[in-house]
Amino acid sequence: MIVVQQKPLDRIRQMIADYDKILILGCGTCATVSFAGGEKEVQALASILRMADKAKGGGKQFLEHTIKRQCEWEFVDEIEPMVKEVDAILSLGCGIGVQAIAQRFPDVPVLPGLDTCFMGLPQEHGLFSEMCAACGNCILDLTAGICPIARCSKSLLNGPCGGSHDGKCEVSPDLPCAWQLIIERLTKLGRLRELEDIKPPKDWSTSAAGGMRTIDRSDLRITSQDATPQGHEPN
Amino acid sequence: MADNSLRPPCQAACPIQQDVRGYINLIAEGEFDEALRTIRKTNPLPSVCGLICAHPCETECRRGQVDQPLAIAALKRFATEYGHDDGAEPQTGAKRAEKVAIIGSGPAGLTAAHDLARMGYGVTVFERGTAPGGALRAFIPEYRLPGEVLQKDIERIVALGVEIKTNSELGKDFTLSELKNEGYSAVVLALGLHLSRGLNISGVELDGVLLALPFLREAKLGAGKTVSGKRVIVIGGGNVAVDVARSALRLGAGEVHMACLEARDEMPAFAWEIEAALEEGVKLHCSKGPKSILCSETEVAGLECMEVKAVFDEEGRFNPTFYEEKVSALDGDVVIIAIGQAAELSFLEDTTIKLNQRGQLVFDPDTLATSEEGVFACGEVISGPGTAVQAMASGRQAALAVDCYLRGEQMAAPQPDGRKDVGELLATTAEEIKRLERREMPALALKERMGNFNLIELGYTEIQAVKEAQRCLRCGAGAEYLEDKCAACLTCVRVCPYGAPVATIAGSIDIRADQCQSCGICIVECPARAIVFRQGEDSQIRERVEAAVTEASLSGAEPVVIGLCCSYGAFATSAFAEFFRDNYKPGIRIVKIPCVVKIDTTHLLKAFELGADGVFVVGCLEEDCPYRMSTFWAERRVAAVKKNLDEIGLGGDRLEMYTLSDPTVQKFDEIVTEVTTRVRQLAPSPMRNRREEA
C-alpha cells in the first residue's frame, strides 16, 4: 500500500490561508489504512482547522467528504457538485489522488494535506515500513525476497558494504542492514552460494529517473489510443 | 433509533419475550425508571416476576459460560422497587365497544385482561376468591411473594380500566350464558388448577392427612390447621411440595420430611427451592413411593413407603414401578399430599363446552378457542402445571386470539421475532472476558425465617444492582460492520481484546456478532467509520455531548465545562446523580458515557469546537471496568486531543482525564473544582465568543 502521513498543521493552515470555503476530501483506501486521510481523520482535521481559524477570528467554512479512492475518475466525479461550491480542495489522499483531483477539476486549487511517504507494509498496528521502490525491474528472486533497492541505504546489488555493523546499517542504529537480512535468509534457504555470482549493474531505465512512467495495455484499453498521456514505458 | 441487534438468548428463552438486555443495561447505567418502563412494555406483572419467576433467561445467559449467569430476576425486582413509573400504561389500540369477560385472576387471566384492556376492550375479571391473583394470591407462600407486592401489579392493571369482581365463581354465582346476555362478546377461561390430587392408599381418610392446596391457602390466611410441634411428612417432589414443607416449618412443625418418587436429580421442583428447603432443615427422602399411611388408633403415625425402581418408563412417560419388598417407614403426625393439581371443571358439565375423555378442556392450540363460540381458554387449565411466566404467555396468546375473533380476522401464526438469534459464545472468547462474580442477593438468616412468613430475599441495594447489571455481555447489541465503507485495514481485528472481528478468506472483515462484547474500541478506532453500534450508542454519545455543550453555552454561565463521565458502577447510583452529576451550576454539564472507552477524539474536539472552555473525562479504574483496555484507549485519545489543542494554541490543559474507583466517586467534586479553577485562569474559549457574536 501507499503510506501517507498528515502534513504539519501549520503547513496545512498556510496552504489554506487564502481560501474561505474549503472541501476536505478524504480517501477511503490507502490514506484510510495509513490513519491519515479516512473519514475519521477528515472529521478530526475539519474540527481542528475550524477551531484554529475561529481562534484567529476567521470565518472559513469547511466541507467534509470522503470518497472510496481519489485515484479513480468515477469516484472523483462524484464530488463535482461539491467542488462547484468551494474555493479549494484540501486532499487527504496520496500524491496520486491530489493530481487526479487537479486533473479532473482544472479550475479549482487542490492542496495536499498529506505527505506521500513510500510503498510499505503495516508491520503492526501503527508501524509502517518501506518495502518497495517501484524500480520497475524486480530482483526479489535473487535477494531472498528482501529488496535491497528499497531497504539498503545505498541500494546495493552486491552487498553488504563496510557500513554494516552487527546487522545494522551505519545510517542509523535502528535500521537493519538489508544485506545482512538477505544473507541470513539465503543461508536458511541453503542458497548462500548464489551470492558468489556478482550481479551486473541494474538496468535503471525502468525506474523513476526518466520522467513519468506509463503502462499502456492495449489488450485492455477500450478508449481511443490518442488519450494516452505522454510518458515512458517502464520496460 | 434503528435497532439492528440480534435477539439475545435471555429474550429468546423468555415466554413473554422480555427485552432483558435492554432493561439490564438501563439498570447498569442508573436509568431505573426507564428500566421499569422497558419491563412493563411486555410484562404486566413485573413485581411478581421479580420475585417468583422461574427465570429461564438465566439458564440461557451466556455470562454463565464465563462465570455465572446474570441475576436477571433479582435485577427485575430491583427495577420494580427502585424505578418510578407513574405514567399510565400506553393503550395500543383505539377504544373498542366490545366487552370481554376473563374467568380467573391468576397470571394468565391478569395478562389476558391487561393486554385486552391495552388493545381498547372493556374487560371484567371474575375471581371466585376474596382477592384477585389466583394461585399467586391463594397458594404461593408470603415468604416468596408477599400479597402487597402482587397487589402493586394488580393495581396497575385495574388502573387500565380492568374491572375485577371478586367472590364471583363461574357455575355458582353466574353462568356463561348470563355473561353473554350481559353483553360480553368473548369469554376467556383462565381457571388454573385449584384441586389437589389425592392418593388412593389406606389411611388417607384420617384427620391428620391433608391436601397441599387447602393447606397452603389456610397457611396464607393464618388460620391453617396447626402443625406446630408436629412431625410433618409431605408427599411429593414438586414446587408445591416444597412450598408446603417450608410453610410447615414456618408454622412451627418440629420436623418436616419430604418423600418423593423421584431421585434427587429428577425432582420437578426448582433446584434453588430444594436447596433452600434443605438449608432450612427439611429432610428429603427420595425414591420413596407411598404405600400406606400408618396409624395408631385414629391418629396418623407415619408413612409406609416402597423403594422406587423407576419413575418413568422406557418412553419417558410417568409410570412409577416399585420394589414391593423394600419397604420402609417414616414416623410422623401429619401427612400432607402434594402430588399434583387438577382443574375444577365440573360446572362445565351442563354447558356445550366439550371435555375430553380425561375430563380436560378441548381447545384449539393455535386460537385457544374451546368448542363453544367466543369462549377461549388459557393458562394451566389447558397446559397443566407450569410456571407463572408460561401462564402469562398463554394469557397473552388468548388476548390476541380474542382480538382476532372480535375483529373477525384469522388468528395469524405466531410471528417470529424477525431478528437473528445470537449464537454460541466460543470458549476462546469466553476466556478473554473478565470474570465478575455474580452478586448473590442478601437474604434473611435462617433463624430469622422461622415463625414468620417474611420475604426471605431482601433485594439488591443500588450499588449491588448496578454492579450486577454491569456484568451483562450485551449479547447481539455490539458492533455492526458496514461493508461498503470498509477499507479492510484490519484495525478492528487488531484492536479487539476479544478476537471478535476476523479477516475472511474473501478479503472482507467479519465482526462476529456472537463474540462481540460491545466495548466499542473498534468503532472508535476504525479510520473509515465503517463500524457502528447495532443500537446506535455511537451517535447517541455524539448527540449527548453536543447537546450538553450547547445547553451550557446558552446558560451564559462562565466557564463552560463539560465532563464526560463513566455511567457504570458507583457513577450509576442515584446518589451520584443527585449530588454530583445533576447538581452543578449551569455552565457545568456532565455527560453520561457508557464506558469512557467509547469516547472518540472527535467527540472531544467537537465539545471544544462548540465552545467548551474545559473538558474532562472521568472513568472508573481498569479493575472496576467490565471491559478490557478501557483506560488505555481513553487516555491515549485524550492525549492526542491535548496535542491538537496545543497545536492550535487553544491549550491542551483545557482537557484532562481522571479515574476514580467505586469507593472514591465522591472525589468527583474535587475534580470539577480543580478543572473549573484551572479553566477559569485561562482566557474564555474563543470558540464560544464567536458563537455568541454570530
Side-chain angles (χ1 to χ4, degrees), chain A residues 8-10 13 28-29 31-41 43-59 64 68 122 124-125, chain B residues 483-491 494-495 524-529 542 600-602 604-606 608-610 633 636-637 644-645 647-648 650 686-687 690-691:
Chain A
L9 194 63
D10 285 347
R13 291 175 62 193
T29 310
T32 297
V33 181
S34 295
F35 304 95
E39 189 173 322
K40 182 181 173 183
E41 302 302 331
Q43 211 178 350
L45 182 63
S47 206
I48 292 164
L49 290 176
R50 265 193 287 268
M51 282 196 273
D53 178 59
K54 275 186 199 171
K56 298 276 178 218
E64 301 166 31
K68 193 75 186 170
E124 59 168 81
H125 190 60
Chain B
E483 190 170 10
D484 56 340
K485 293 184 83 176
C486 177
C489 69
L490 300 158
T491 297
R494 290 167 188 160
V495 300
V524 177
E525 291 303 309
C526 173
R529 294 271 189 244
R542 193 171 298 277
D600 192 323
T601 49
T602 56
L604 298 169
L605 288 167
K606 199 74 189 175
F608 285 107
E609 198 189 324
L610 291 174
W633 286 106
R636 170 181 277 208
R637 293 163 192 157
N644 294 147
L645 296 174
E647 277 178 334
I648 58 173
L650 202 61
M687 306 305 128
R690 292 293 304 169
R691 281 169 48 82

Coordinates of all heavy atoms in Angstrom, one line a residue, chain A residues 8-10 13 28-29 31-41 43-59 64 68 122 124-125, chain B residues 483-491 494-495 524-529 542 600-602 604-606 608-610 633 636-637 644-645 647-648 650 686-687 690-691:
Chain A
P8 N 2.3 18.7 8.7 CA 2.2 19.5 10.0 C 1.1 20.5 9.8 O 0.8 21.1 8.7 CB 3.5 20.2 10.1 CG 4.5 19.4 9.2 CD 3.7 18.8 8.1
L9 N 0.4 20.7 10.9 CA -0.8 21.6 10.9 C -0.5 23.0 10.4 O -1.3 23.6 9.6 CB -1.4 21.6 12.3 CG -2.8 22.2 12.4 CD1 -3.8 21.3 11.7 CD2 -3.3 22.3 13.9
D10 N 0.6 23.5 10.8 CA 1.0 24.9 10.4 C 1.1 25.0 8.9 O 0.7 25.9 8.3 CB 2.3 25.3 11.0 CG 2.2 25.6 12.5 OD1 1.0 25.8 12.9 OD2 3.2 25.7 13.2
R13 N -2.4 25.0 7.4 CA -3.0 26.2 7.6 C -2.5 27.3 6.7 O -3.2 28.2 6.2 CB -2.9 26.7 9.1 CG -3.7 25.8 10.0 CD -3.5 26.1 11.4 NE -3.9 27.5 11.8 CZ -3.6 28.1 12.9 NH1 -2.8 27.5 13.8 NH2 -4.0 29.3 13.1
G28 N -10.7 6.8 0.8 CA -11.1 5.6 1.5 C -10.2 4.4 1.3 O -10.7 3.3 1.7
T29 N -9.1 4.5 0.8 CA -8.3 3.3 0.6 C -6.9 3.5 1.3 O -6.9 3.5 2.5 CB -8.1 3.0 -0.9 OG1 -9.4 3.0 -1.5 CG2 -7.5 1.6 -1.1
A31 N -5.0 6.0 2.2 CA -4.9 7.0 3.1 C -5.7 6.7 4.4 O -5.3 7.1 5.5 CB -5.4 8.4 2.6
T32 N -6.7 5.9 4.2 CA -7.5 5.5 5.4 C -6.7 4.5 6.2 O -6.6 4.5 7.4 CB -8.9 4.9 4.9 OG1 -9.6 5.9 4.3 CG2 -9.6 4.3 6.1
V33 N -6.1 3.5 5.4 CA -5.3 2.5 6.1 C -4.1 3.0 6.8 O -3.6 2.5 7.7 CB -5.0 1.4 5.1 CG1 -4.2 0.2 5.7 CG2 -6.2 0.8 4.4
S34 N -3.6 4.2 6.3 CA -2.5 4.9 6.9 C -2.9 5.7 8.1 O -2.1 6.4 8.7 CB -1.8 5.8 5.9 OG -1.2 5.1 4.8
F35 N -4.2 5.7 8.4 CA -4.7 6.6 9.5 C -4.4 8.0 9.3 O -4.1 8.8 10.3 CB -4.2 6.1 10.9 CG -4.5 4.6 11.1 CD1 -3.6 3.7 10.8 CD2 -5.7 4.3 11.6 CE1 -3.8 2.3 11.1 CE2 -6.0 2.9 11.8 CZ -5.1 2.0 11.5
A36 N -4.5 8.5 8.1 CA -4.2 9.9 7.8 C -5.2 10.6 7.0 O -5.3 11.8 7.1 CB -2.8 10.0 7.1
G37 N -6.0 9.9 6.2 CA -7.0 10.5 5.3 C -8.3 9.9 5.2 O -9.0 10.1 4.2
G38 N -8.7 9.1 6.2 CA -10.0 8.4 6.1 C -11.1 9.3 6.7 O -10.8 10.5 7.1
E39 N -12.3 8.8 6.7 CA -13.4 9.7 7.2 C -13.2 10.2 8.6 O -13.5 11.4 8.9 CB -14.7 8.8 7.1 CG -15.9 9.6 7.4 CD -17.2 8.8 7.2 OE1 -17.3 8.0 6.2 OE2 -18.2 9.1 7.9
K40 N -12.6 9.4 9.4 CA -12.4 9.9 10.8 C -11.4 11.0 10.8 O -11.6 12.0 11.6 CB -11.9 8.7 11.6 CG -11.7 9.0 13.1 CD -11.1 7.8 13.9 CE -10.7 8.3 15.3 NZ -10.1 7.2 16.0
E41 N -10.3 10.9 10.1 CA -9.3 11.9 10.0 C -9.8 13.2 9.4 O -9.5 14.3 9.8 CB -8.0 11.5 9.3 CG -7.4 10.2 9.8 CD -7.0 10.3 11.3 OE1 -6.6 11.4 11.7 OE2 -7.0 9.3 12.0
Q43 N -12.9 14.2 9.6 CA -13.7 14.8 10.7 C -12.9 15.5 11.7 O -13.2 16.7 12.1 CB -14.5 13.7 11.3 CG -15.8 14.0 11.8 CD -16.5 12.8 12.4 OE1 -16.0 11.7 12.3 NE2 -17.6 13.0 13.1
A44 N -11.8 14.9 12.1 CA -10.9 15.5 13.2 C -10.2 16.7 12.6 O -10.2 17.8 13.3 CB -9.9 14.4 13.7
L45 N -9.7 16.6 11.4 CA -8.9 17.7 10.9 C -9.9 18.9 10.7 O -9.5 20.1 10.9 CB -8.2 17.3 9.6 CG -7.4 18.4 8.9 CD1 -6.2 18.8 9.8 CD2 -6.9 18.0 7.5
A46 N -11.1 18.6 10.2 CA -12.0 19.7 10.0 C -12.3 20.5 11.3 O -12.3 21.7 11.3 CB -13.3 19.2 9.4
S47 N -12.5 19.7 12.3 CA -12.8 20.3 13.6 C -11.6 21.1 14.1 O -11.7 22.2 14.6 CB -13.0 19.1 14.6 OG -13.8 19.5 15.7
I48 N -10.4 20.6 13.9 CA -9.2 21.3 14.4 C -9.0 22.6 13.5 O -8.7 23.7 14.1 CB -7.9 20.4 14.2 CG1 -8.0 19.2 15.2 CG2 -6.6 21.1 14.4 CD1 -7.1 18.1 15.0
L49 N -9.2 22.5 12.2 CA -9.0 23.7 11.4 C -10.0 24.7 11.7 O -9.8 25.9 11.6 CB -9.0 23.3 9.9 CG -7.8 22.5 9.4 CD1 -8.0 22.0 7.9 CD2 -6.5 23.3 9.6
R50 N -11.3 24.3 11.9 CA -12.3 25.2 12.2 C -11.9 26.0 13.5 O -12.1 27.2 13.6 CB -13.6 24.5 12.4 CG -14.5 24.5 11.2 CD -15.9 24.0 11.5 NE -16.0 22.6 11.9 CZ -16.2 21.7 11.0 NH1 -16.5 22.0 9.7 NH2 -16.3 20.4 11.3
M51 N -11.4 25.2 14.5 CA -11.1 25.9 15.7 C -9.9 26.8 15.5 O -9.9 28.0 16.1 CB -10.8 24.8 16.8 CG -12.0 24.2 17.4 SD -11.7 23.3 18.9 CE -11.2 21.8 18.3
A52 N -8.9 26.4 14.8 CA -7.7 27.2 14.6 C -8.1 28.5 13.9 O -7.6 29.6 14.2 CB -6.7 26.4 13.8
D53 N -9.0 28.4 12.9 CA -9.5 29.5 12.2 C -10.3 30.5 13.1 O -10.0 31.7 13.1 CB -10.3 29.1 11.0 CG -10.8 30.2 10.2 OD1 -10.0 31.0 9.7 OD2 -12.1 30.4 10.0
K54 N -11.2 29.9 13.8 CA -12.0 30.7 14.7 C -11.2 31.5 15.8 O -11.4 32.6 16.1 CB -13.1 29.9 15.5 CG -14.3 29.6 14.7 CD -15.3 28.9 15.5 CE -16.4 28.2 14.7 NZ -17.2 27.3 15.5
A55 N -10.2 30.8 16.2 CA -9.3 31.4 17.3 C -8.6 32.6 16.7 O -8.3 33.5 17.5 CB -8.2 30.4 17.7
K56 N -8.4 32.6 15.4 CA -7.8 33.8 14.8 C -8.8 34.8 14.3 O -8.5 35.7 13.5 CB -6.9 33.4 13.6 CG -5.7 32.5 14.0 CD -4.5 33.3 14.5 CE -3.4 32.3 14.9 NZ -2.7 32.8 16.1
G57 N -10.1 34.5 14.6 CA -11.1 35.4 14.2 C -11.6 35.2 12.7 O -12.2 36.0 12.1
G58 N -11.2 34.1 12.1 CA -11.5 33.9 10.7 C -12.9 33.4 10.6 O -13.6 33.1 11.5
G59 N -13.3 33.3 9.3 CA -14.7 32.8 9.1 C -14.8 31.7 8.0 O -15.7 31.7 7.2
E64 N -16.8 18.5 4.5 CA -16.1 17.2 4.8 C -16.7 16.2 3.9 O -17.9 16.0 3.8 CB -16.3 16.8 6.2 CG -15.8 17.8 7.3 CD -16.4 17.5 8.7 OE1 -16.6 16.3 9.0 OE2 -16.6 18.4 9.4
K68 N -14.2 6.8 -2.0 CA -13.5 5.4 -1.9 C -12.1 5.5 -2.3 O -11.2 5.0 -1.6 CB -14.3 4.4 -2.8 CG -13.9 3.0 -2.5 CD -14.5 2.5 -1.2 CE -14.1 1.1 -0.8 NZ -14.5 0.8 0.6
P122 N 2.2 -2.4 6.6 CA 1.9 -2.2 8.0 C 2.5 -3.3 8.9 O 1.9 -4.4 8.9 CB 0.4 -2.2 8.0 CG -0.1 -2.2 6.6 CD 1.1 -2.8 5.8
E124 N 2.8 -3.6 12.1 CA 1.8 -3.9 13.1 C 1.0 -2.6 13.2 O 1.2 -1.7 12.5 CB 2.5 -4.1 14.5 CG 3.4 -3.0 14.9 CD 3.9 -3.1 16.3 OE1 4.9 -3.8 16.5 OE2 3.3 -2.4 17.2
H125 N -0.1 -2.7 14.1 CA -1.0 -1.5 14.2 C -0.1 -0.3 14.5 O 0.5 -0.2 15.5 CB -2.0 -1.8 15.2 CG -3.1 -0.8 15.2 ND1 -3.9 -0.6 14.2 CD2 -3.5 0.1 16.2 CE1 -4.8 0.4 14.5 NE2 -4.6 0.8 15.7
Chain B
E483 N -20.0 -2.9 5.2 CA -19.0 -3.4 4.2 C -18.6 -2.3 3.2 O -17.5 -2.2 2.8 CB -19.6 -4.6 3.5 CG -18.6 -5.3 2.7 CD -19.0 -6.7 2.2 OE1 -20.2 -7.0 2.3 OE2 -18.2 -7.4 1.6
D484 N -19.6 -1.5 2.8 CA -19.3 -0.6 1.7 C -18.3 0.5 2.1 O -17.7 1.2 1.3 CB -20.6 0.0 1.1 CG -21.4 0.7 2.1 OD1 -21.3 0.4 3.3 OD2 -22.3 1.5 1.7
K485 N -18.2 0.8 3.4 CA -17.3 1.8 3.9 C -15.9 1.2 4.3 O -14.9 2.0 4.5 CB -17.9 2.6 5.1 CG -19.1 3.4 4.7 CD -19.6 4.2 5.9 CE -18.8 5.5 6.0 NZ -19.4 6.3 7.1
C486 N -15.8 -0.1 4.4 CA -14.7 -0.7 5.0 C -13.5 -0.6 4.0 O -13.6 -0.8 2.8 CB -14.9 -2.2 5.3 SG -13.5 -3.1 5.9
A487 N -12.3 -0.2 4.6 CA -11.1 -0.2 3.8 C -10.2 -1.4 4.0 O -9.1 -1.5 3.5 CB -10.3 1.0 4.1
A488 N -10.8 -2.4 4.7 CA -10.1 -3.7 5.1 C -8.7 -3.4 5.7 O -7.7 -4.0 5.4 CB -10.0 -4.5 3.8
C489 N -8.7 -2.4 6.5 CA -7.4 -2.0 7.2 C -7.0 -3.0 8.3 O -5.9 -2.9 8.8 CB -7.4 -0.6 7.7 SG -8.5 -0.3 9.1
L490 N -8.0 -3.7 8.7 CA -7.8 -4.7 9.8 C -7.6 -4.1 11.2 O -7.3 -4.8 12.1 CB -6.6 -5.7 9.5 CG -6.8 -6.4 8.1 CD1 -5.5 -6.9 7.6 CD2 -7.8 -7.6 8.4
T491 N -7.9 -2.8 11.3 CA -7.8 -2.2 12.6 C -8.6 -2.9 13.6 O -8.2 -3.3 14.8 CB -8.2 -0.7 12.5 OG1 -7.3 -0.1 11.7 CG2 -8.1 -0.1 13.9
R494 N -7.2 -6.0 14.9 CA -6.0 -5.8 15.7 C -6.3 -5.2 17.1 O -5.6 -5.5 18.0 CB -5.0 -5.0 15.0 CG -4.4 -5.7 13.8 CD -3.7 -4.9 12.8 NE -3.3 -5.7 11.7 CZ -3.0 -5.2 10.5 NH1 -3.0 -3.9 10.3 NH2 -2.7 -6.0 9.5
V495 N -7.4 -4.4 17.2 CA -7.6 -3.7 18.5 C -8.6 -4.5 19.4 O -8.6 -4.2 20.6 CB -8.1 -2.3 18.3 CG1 -7.0 -1.5 17.6 CG2 -9.4 -2.2 17.6
V524 N -14.5 3.2 17.6 CA -13.8 4.4 17.7 C -12.6 4.4 16.9 O -12.2 5.4 16.2 CB -13.5 4.7 19.2 CG1 -12.7 6.0 19.3 CG2 -14.8 4.8 20.0
E525 N -11.9 3.3 16.9 CA -10.6 3.3 16.2 C -10.7 3.1 14.7 O -9.7 3.4 13.9 CB -9.7 2.1 16.7 CG -9.2 2.3 18.2 CD -8.4 3.6 18.3 OE1 -7.5 3.8 17.5 OE2 -8.8 4.4 19.2
C526 N -11.8 2.6 14.1 CA -11.9 2.4 12.7 C -11.7 3.7 11.9 O -12.5 4.7 12.1 CB -13.3 1.9 12.4 SG -13.6 1.8 10.6
P527 N -10.7 3.8 11.1 CA -10.4 5.1 10.4 C -11.4 5.4 9.3 O -11.5 6.5 8.8 CB -9.0 4.9 9.8 CG -8.9 3.4 9.6 CD -9.7 2.8 10.7
A528 N -12.2 4.4 8.9 CA -13.1 4.6 7.8 C -14.6 4.8 8.3 O -15.5 4.9 7.5 CB -13.1 3.3 6.9
R529 N -14.7 4.8 9.6 CA -16.1 4.9 10.2 C -17.0 3.8 9.6 O -18.2 4.1 9.3 CB -16.7 6.3 10.0 CG -16.0 7.4 10.6 CD -16.5 7.6 12.0 NE -16.0 8.8 12.6 CZ -15.2 8.8 13.7 NH1 -14.9 7.7 14.3 NH2 -14.8 9.9 14.3
R542 N -22.4 11.2 20.7 CA -22.1 12.4 19.9 C -23.2 13.5 20.2 O -23.0 14.6 20.5 CB -22.0 12.1 18.4 CG -21.4 13.2 17.6 CD -21.2 12.7 16.2 NE -20.2 11.6 16.2 CZ -18.9 11.7 16.2 NH1 -18.4 12.9 16.2 NH2 -18.1 10.7 16.2
D600 N -14.6 9.1 21.5 CA -13.8 9.3 20.3 C -13.1 10.7 20.3 O -13.6 11.6 21.0 CB -14.9 9.3 19.1 CG -14.3 9.2 17.8 OD1 -13.2 9.8 17.6 OD2 -14.9 8.6 16.9
T601 N -12.0 10.7 19.7 CA -11.3 12.0 19.7 C -12.2 13.1 19.1 O -12.1 14.3 19.6 CB -10.0 11.9 18.8 OG1 -10.4 11.3 17.5 CG2 -8.9 11.1 19.4
T602 N -13.0 12.8 18.1 CA -13.9 13.8 17.5 C -15.0 14.2 18.5 O -15.5 15.4 18.4 CB -14.5 13.3 16.2 OG1 -15.2 12.1 16.5 CG2 -13.4 13.0 15.2
L604 N -14.4 14.8 21.6 CA -13.7 15.8 22.5 C -13.5 17.1 21.7 O -13.7 18.2 22.1 CB -12.4 15.2 22.9 CG -12.5 13.9 23.8 CD1 -11.1 13.3 24.0 CD2 -13.1 14.3 25.2
L605 N -13.1 16.9 20.4 CA -12.8 18.1 19.6 C -14.1 18.9 19.4 O -14.1 20.1 19.4 CB -12.3 17.6 18.2 CG -10.8 17.1 18.2 CD1 -10.5 16.4 16.9 CD2 -9.8 18.3 18.5
K606 N -15.2 18.1 19.2 CA -16.5 18.8 19.0 C -16.9 19.6 20.2 O -17.4 20.7 20.0 CB -17.6 17.7 18.7 CG -18.8 18.2 18.0 CD -18.5 18.5 16.5 CE -19.6 19.3 15.8 NZ -19.2 19.7 14.5
F608 N -15.0 21.1 22.2 CA -14.3 22.4 22.2 C -14.7 23.3 21.1 O -14.8 24.5 21.2 CB -12.7 22.1 22.1 CG -12.2 21.6 23.4 CD1 -11.8 20.3 23.6 CD2 -12.0 22.5 24.4 CE1 -11.3 19.9 24.8 CE2 -11.4 22.1 25.7 CZ -11.1 20.8 25.8
E609 N -15.0 22.7 19.9 CA -15.4 23.4 18.8 C -16.7 24.2 19.1 O -16.9 25.3 18.6 CB -15.6 22.5 17.6 CG -15.6 23.2 16.3 CD -16.0 22.3 15.1 OE1 -15.7 21.1 15.2 OE2 -16.7 22.8 14.2
L610 N -17.6 23.5 19.9 CA -18.9 24.2 20.2 C -18.8 25.2 21.3 O -19.8 25.8 21.7 CB -19.9 23.1 20.5 CG -20.4 22.2 19.4 CD1 -21.3 21.1 19.8 CD2 -21.1 23.0 18.3
W633 N -7.2 3.0 26.2 CA -7.6 3.7 25.0 C -8.1 5.1 25.3 O -7.8 6.0 24.5 CB -8.7 2.9 24.3 CG -8.2 1.7 23.6 CD1 -8.3 0.4 24.0 CD2 -7.4 1.6 22.4 NE1 -7.7 -0.5 23.2 CE2 -7.1 0.2 22.2 CE3 -6.9 2.6 21.5 CZ2 -6.4 -0.2 21.1 CZ3 -6.2 2.1 20.4 CH2 -5.9 0.8 20.2
R636 N -5.2 7.5 25.8 CA -4.5 7.7 24.5 C -5.2 8.8 23.7 O -4.6 9.6 23.1 CB -4.4 6.4 23.8 CG -3.9 6.5 22.4 CD -3.9 5.2 21.7 NE -2.6 4.5 22.1 CZ -2.0 3.6 21.3 NH1 -2.6 3.3 20.2 NH2 -0.9 3.0 21.7
R637 N -6.6 8.7 23.6 CA -7.3 9.6 22.8 C -7.3 11.0 23.4 O -7.2 12.0 22.7 CB -8.8 9.1 22.7 CG -8.8 7.8 21.9 CD -10.1 7.1 22.0 NE -10.0 5.7 21.5 CZ -10.8 4.7 21.9 NH1 -11.8 5.0 22.8 NH2 -10.7 3.6 21.3
N644 N -3.5 18.2 19.9 CA -4.2 19.0 18.9 C -4.5 20.4 19.4 O -4.3 21.4 18.7 CB -5.5 18.4 18.4 CG -5.4 17.1 17.7 OD1 -6.2 16.2 17.8 ND2 -4.3 17.0 16.9
L645 N -4.9 20.5 20.6 CA -5.3 21.8 21.2 C -4.1 22.6 21.4 O -4.1 23.8 21.2 CB -6.0 21.5 22.6 CG -7.4 20.8 22.5 CD1 -7.9 20.5 23.9 CD2 -8.4 21.6 21.7
E647 N -1.5 22.5 19.5 CA -1.0 22.9 18.2 C -1.8 24.1 17.7 O -1.3 25.0 17.0 CB -1.3 21.7 17.2 CG -0.1 20.7 17.2 CD -0.4 19.6 16.2 OE1 -1.6 19.3 16.0 OE2 0.6 19.0 15.8
I648 N -3.1 24.2 18.0 CA -3.8 25.3 17.5 C -3.9 26.5 18.5 O -4.6 27.5 18.3 CB -5.3 24.9 17.1 CG1 -6.0 24.3 18.3 CG2 -5.2 24.0 15.9 CD1 -7.5 24.1 18.0
L650 N -5.1 26.6 21.5 CA -6.2 26.7 22.5 C -5.7 26.2 23.8 O -6.2 26.6 24.9 CB -7.3 25.8 22.0 CG -8.7 26.1 22.5 CD1 -9.1 27.5 22.1 CD2 -9.7 25.1 21.9
P686 N -12.2 31.1 22.7 CA -12.6 32.0 21.6 C -13.7 31.3 20.7 O -14.4 32.0 20.0 CB -11.3 32.2 20.8 CG -10.4 31.1 21.3 CD -10.8 30.6 22.6
M687 N -13.9 30.0 20.8 CA -14.9 29.4 20.0 C -16.3 29.9 20.5 O -17.1 30.2 19.6 CB -14.9 27.8 20.2 CG -13.6 27.2 20.0 SD -12.9 27.6 18.4 CE -11.3 28.1 18.7
R690 N -17.2 33.5 19.5 CA -17.6 33.6 18.1 C -19.1 33.2 18.0 O -19.8 33.8 17.3 CB -16.8 32.6 17.2 CG -15.3 33.0 17.0 CD -15.2 34.3 16.3 NE -15.8 34.2 15.0 CZ -16.0 35.3 14.2 NH1 -15.7 36.5 14.6 NH2 -16.6 35.1 13.0
R691 N -19.5 32.1 18.7 CA -20.9 31.7 18.6 C -21.8 32.8 19.1 O -22.8 33.0 18.5 CB -21.1 30.5 19.5 CG -20.6 29.2 18.9 CD -20.6 28.1 19.9 NE -21.9 28.0 20.6 CZ -23.0 27.5 20.2 NH1 -22.9 26.8 19.0 NH2 -24.1 27.5 20.9

